[in-house]
Amino acid sequence: MYLDLDGQGARYAQLIRALKGAILDGRIAAGARLPASRSLARELDLSRNTVLAAYEQLQAEGFLLGRVGSGSFVANVGSAAPPRRASNVLIAPLSAFARRALTHTDGRRIPGRQHLDLRYNLQYGLPLVNPLLASVWRREVSRAAEHAEFDYPDAQGLPALREQICDYLSRRRGVPTAAEDVLIVSGTQQAFSLAARVLLEPGDAVVLEDPHYRGARQAFTTHGAHARGCRVDADGLVPAALPASARLAVVTPSHQFPTGALLPLARRVELLDWAAAQRAWLIEDDYDGEFRYGGRPLAALKSLDRDGRVIYIGSFSKALFPALRLGYMVLPAALRDAFVAAKWLEDRGNNSLEQAALAHLMSSGGFERHLRRAALALRARRAAMLNGLAKHAGDTVEVVDSNAGMHLTAWLTRANHGDCERLVAHARERGLGLYTVAPYCMKPPARPGLVLGYASLPPADIEAAMKLFGKCLQEIGLR
Amino acid sequence: MYLDLDGQGARYAQLIRALKGAILDGRIAAGARLPASRSLARELDLSRNTVLAAYEQLQAEGFLLGRVGSGSFVANVGSAAPPRRASNVLIAPLSAFARRALTHTDGRRIPGRQHLDLRYNLQYGLPLVNPLLASVWRREVSRAAEHAEFDYPDAQGLPALREQICDYLSRRRGVPTAAEDVLIVSGTQQAFSLAARVLLEPGDAVVLEDPHYRGARQAFTTHGAHARGCRVDADGLVPAALPASARLAVVTPSHQFPTGALLPLARRVELLDWAAAQRAWLIEDDYDGEFRYGGRPLAALKSLDRDGRVIYIGSFSKALFPALRLGYMVLPAALRDAFVAAKWLEDRGNNSLEQAALAHLMSSGGFERHLRRAALALRARRAAMLNGLAKHAGDTVEVVDSNAGMHLTAWLTRANHGDCERLVAHARERGLGLYTVAPYCMKPPARPGLVLGYASLPPADIEAAMKLFGKCLQEIGLR
């Protein structure tokens, strides 16, 4: 009997797999007698106990019948599936959803952040590294673990956390809301994914600002919605450019992503009027509304929502850090039950521990202390970047300075898109991670631009990065 | 000027909201001059500073224009949305998905566990309360927080956790797999929800055992799939009763839910043959495969999967506790990228902290120590329930004793479905929580039955609960 042990894990388990395979393939026929344990052990260079244990297990599973004094016989296990090996060949088609999903992972096997070997990485979304936050968070988590809940959580989110979010939104974002209208979700991405399913049929139109956050487009188009772009200028979304019919628009009025524009009041009102005329929903993605460095923060669009059509999305990925995977939605009363049901059917709600830790961080004042410290740090990093750009890039870039957030957009004044790609490639070779505006756009933008994240690097590194940026501009002849 | 302050939060914020509302409603017209701060303060019994701060904010937001020396004028903010109040009236239709989702929350506003005031609650799924686990978990969480990751996690799941799951599955469930085939998800529920989207178009047929786990049916039917039941007998799913055409079947071969049957090998092979003939996928829901109290555990169905059509789902909700919201899928190579992309588009992956804590719990041996302790405790609770049923219910019930899991199914031998409902209602009045098999069924079962969870009560409580159960049977004349 030829048995091929696969060499993975315990010899006992290898032998079981090999025997099962041979029985299921029909290489050992039903009714056949297996070799005596002693002889098989000798043949395969195994201990006799290993063989006996494998026979015993196969007997327990019904592959072998033992007859006292006469050895082990192969049971009739019916016709087995053909001995194809598991492969990458699909045995049945994927859904249209799955085929669309695959187009969004850019051929990367495991989507997620690519860890590049760069001296200075200006990628947007890298978190502010903050040892004080790390120790505060450690304390909150340990504290929450002392009072751990073990049963299923509230699918809508921990009530104490929802209360804290209400308090925060009313004080800081001008959004008066009640805990029953807040839904805790696994980050902004899940908010988009749930909204796609709850609000849109495949084939429905969704309006996205152009440029926009890619994760939103991916969630909606994978669901099967048609994304329509709306032009953005220095004041953000241009209401006159809104398409004639759509079921939903996703907007970033506080800090247009990625251009940084702040949508003026008159445009906010026009946007609400458009939505009312269309019977459309609006999603306000307030992804970094916590960080504004000049003037008072404007109230959120949601604060103008008179008839319950604005869905407000907040995230702790920027205010705290992305590994937390926590965000929230403020839902109009008419949508609340449907979104909560969708969340419950998706994953039964978020895990309890970090919700409890976050609720206590907020109620103890630690969250707002962190926000104040983070804003100071971000302001210094932003200043270092603005100074560095002025000094080392001069008028080769035009910077959109919105006094907010964790990134700047810099438009290249003397370059075409090809130059910009060359700049990015050259900078990467020199250890500087630059990222263009292009992937955020549906239509190619009129001018090439860069999205420059400054949250993860201390000011000295940003200064050095800007110096290197200036050198790169010179080296490829743009300055 | 009549202004109605809503009494919520700071007076300053109340005044801002009231003024904005009046401006947007047109009650204060564009161009109108607002009262001097001093007189408005007197009128509304506010401090003058409060009024000044509100005017200043409204000016910053563009609602007011200040002219030096001549007061504050209302800006032209365009025509505002009509002054409807946010209500429960839908301003635009929900998707078909959302309408189906709402049918599954049973009219409860906030889905999730209902906390009933019961002396003994025999609800399935309540976790094993275990002070030792609580302290072990607290230690692991604090330890993981020491090495917290802040950036986006790996969307497929923490590699260290996936490695540990592979090791565990190969040793304990006979499933040899590689970390690259494992996807970490937010519990079994998300596995079903992702599978619905990746494998099925709305309208496709999915086979469910009848009876079955409701969460699976809800996920698939909300997606729009047609659920078809397959008969179950004392040996589990009856392969001859599988429908002629389906794209997917969801099965519980190790411990049929909720009847407790163990699917024999011959039926497993028939099931695989059926799937091969249909070009169908199989989902193996191994929800409590960790706990088997007699004989060796049978290897999972996945161990017989020769051509990559079985998707294996495991959960930590039973092995540890539901508040963790962590589970995993073992994916055939051909499906891996599509499922990882779907998870990435849904929520960018699970939070890092508890994945790291769990990975260390597993690698340190603590997880299997816990499983051994939990199995001992569950065995004692199960024995108490079996003894109590024999003593207090006698032949009024027929118990399916599958030597596994955290629940028993007890069929009522002398009762009809109406009697069973009366029994449940009567028991609830007496402080005993009983749950029927009916909600798990597509067709009403031939006999009424109860799903009796025993994980959350110590043996003495289970004894007392069974005594009360016997009394209830007598009181309503079933014994």
Side-chain angles (χ1 to χ4, degrees), chain A residues 47-80:
Chain A
S47 84
R48 191 180 162 216
N49 279 340
T50 300
V51 177
L52 280 173
Y55 280 14
E56 203 178 316
Q57 175 69 25
L58 289 170
Q59 203 168 321
E61 293 197 27
F63 283 87
L64 297 183
L65 305 168
R67 294 181 202 154
V68 178
S70 55
S72 297
F73 292 82
V74 173
N76 187 350
V77 293
S79 77

Side-chain angles (χ1 to χ4, degrees), chain A residues 16 19-20 23-24 28-32 34 53-66 72-78, chain B residues 262-269 296-299 303-304:
Chain A
I16 289 176
L19 284 166
K20 276 188 190 174
I23 293 170
L24 288 169
I28 314 182
L34 287 193
Y55 280 14
E56 203 178 316
Q57 175 69 25
L58 289 170
Q59 203 168 321
E61 293 197 27
F63 283 87
L64 297 183
L65 305 168
S72 297
F73 292 82
V74 173
N76 187 350
V77 293
Chain B
L262 176 66
L263 197 68
L265 180 65
R267 288 196 179 184
R268 292 177 185 226
V269 172
R296 287 165 188 257
L298 277 204
S303 71
L304 305 180

Side-chain angles (χ1 to χ4, degrees), chain B residues 209-465:
Chain B
E209 296 169 336
D210 195 16
H212 55 260
Y213 174 62
R214 262 183 300 180
R217 184 179 61 204
Q218 291 164 340
F220 289 110
T221 59
T222 307
H223 176 66
H226 291 302
R228 296 188 182 179
C230 179
R231 194 157 59 82
V232 160
D233 67 16
D235 281 333
L237 174 138
V238 178
L242 283 162
S245 108
R247 287 283 297 279
L248 171 65
V250 183
V251 295
T252 51
S254 302
H255 197 215
Q256 205 281 327
F257 188 82
T259 67
L262 176 66
L263 197 68
L265 180 65
R267 288 196 179 184
R268 292 177 185 226
V269 172
E270 274 183 84
L271 175 62
L272 287 164
D273 284 349
W274 170 86
Q278 300 291 321
R279 300 186 70 210
W281 305 102
L282 294 175
I283 290 183
E284 175 177 25
D285 177 12
D286 201 20
Y287 62 101
D288 68 358
E290 295 81 7
F291 298 119
R292 176 153 283 279
Y293 314 115
R296 287 165 188 257
L298 277 204
L301 177 68
K302 177 72 183 162
S303 71
L304 305 180
D305 181 25
R306 309 287 291 167
D307 50 355
R309 67 175 70 251
V310 176
I311 297 157
Y312 176 95
I313 299 179
S315 168
F316 291 101
S317 293
K318 305 289 171 286
L320 290 167
F321 51 86
L324 197 51
R325 310 308 312 123
L326 282 175
Y328 52 91
M329 309 179 80
V330 178
L331 296 161
L335 293 181
R336 185 180 52 212
D337 292 356
F339 271 91
V340 174
K343 170 71 177 169
W344 181 69
L345 289 165
E346 175 61 29
D347 59 20
R348 296 286 188 255
N350 281 80
N351 69 89
S352 301
L353 181 75
E354 281 168 304
Q355 290 192 71
L358 182 51
H360 188 264
L361 182 69
M362 294 180 88
S363 68
S364 66
F367 180 60
E368 292 193 44
R369 274 195 298 279
H370 160 71
L371 288 183
R372 282 194 295 275
R373 280 193 302 264
L376 278 176
L378 289 169
R379 188 195 290 263
R381 287 163 195 222
R382 179 177 149 277
M385 185 170 271
L386 284 170
N387 291 339
L389 281 171
K391 193 162 156 193
H392 302 292
D395 59 1
T396 57
V397 299
E398 187 186 308
V399 175
V400 180
D401 178 9
S402 57
N403 252 332
M406 311 171 95
H407 77 282
L408 297 170
T409 298
W411 301 102
L412 300 181
T413 52
R414 300 183 200 157
N416 59 31
H417 290 285
D419 296 331
C420 184
E421 294 300 332
R422 280 195 302 129
L423 173 64
V424 169
H426 181 76
R428 185 146 305 177
E429 271 175 31
R430 302 278 259 114
L432 175 66
L434 296 179
Y435 301 85
T436 72
V437 174
Y440 303 106
C441 301
M442 295 173 77
K443 280 189 200 161
R447 289 184 297 179
L450 297 169
V451 176
L452 302 170
Y454 52 75
S456 73
L457 298 175
D461 282 6
I462 291 178
E463 247 166 75

Side-chain angles (χ1 to χ4, degrees), chain A residues 346-364:
Chain A
E346 175 62 26
D347 60 18
R348 296 286 189 256
N350 281 80
N351 70 89
S352 302
L353 181 76
E354 281 167 305
Q355 289 191 72
L358 182 51
H360 188 264
L361 182 69
M362 294 179 86
S363 67
S364 67

Side-chain angles (χ1 to χ4, degrees), chain A residues 274-305:
Chain A
W274 170 86
Q278 298 291 322
R279 300 187 68 210
W281 305 103
L282 294 174
I283 290 183
E284 175 177 26
D285 177 13
D286 201 21
Y287 62 101
D288 68 358
E290 295 82 5
F291 300 118
R292 177 153 283 279
Y293 315 115
R296 288 163 188 258
L298 277 205
L301 177 68
K302 177 73 183 161
S303 71
L304 304 181
D305 181 25

Side-chain angles (χ1 to χ4, degrees), chain A residues 24 101-102 165 213 445:
Chain A
L24 288 169
L102 283 169
I165 288 170
Y213 175 62

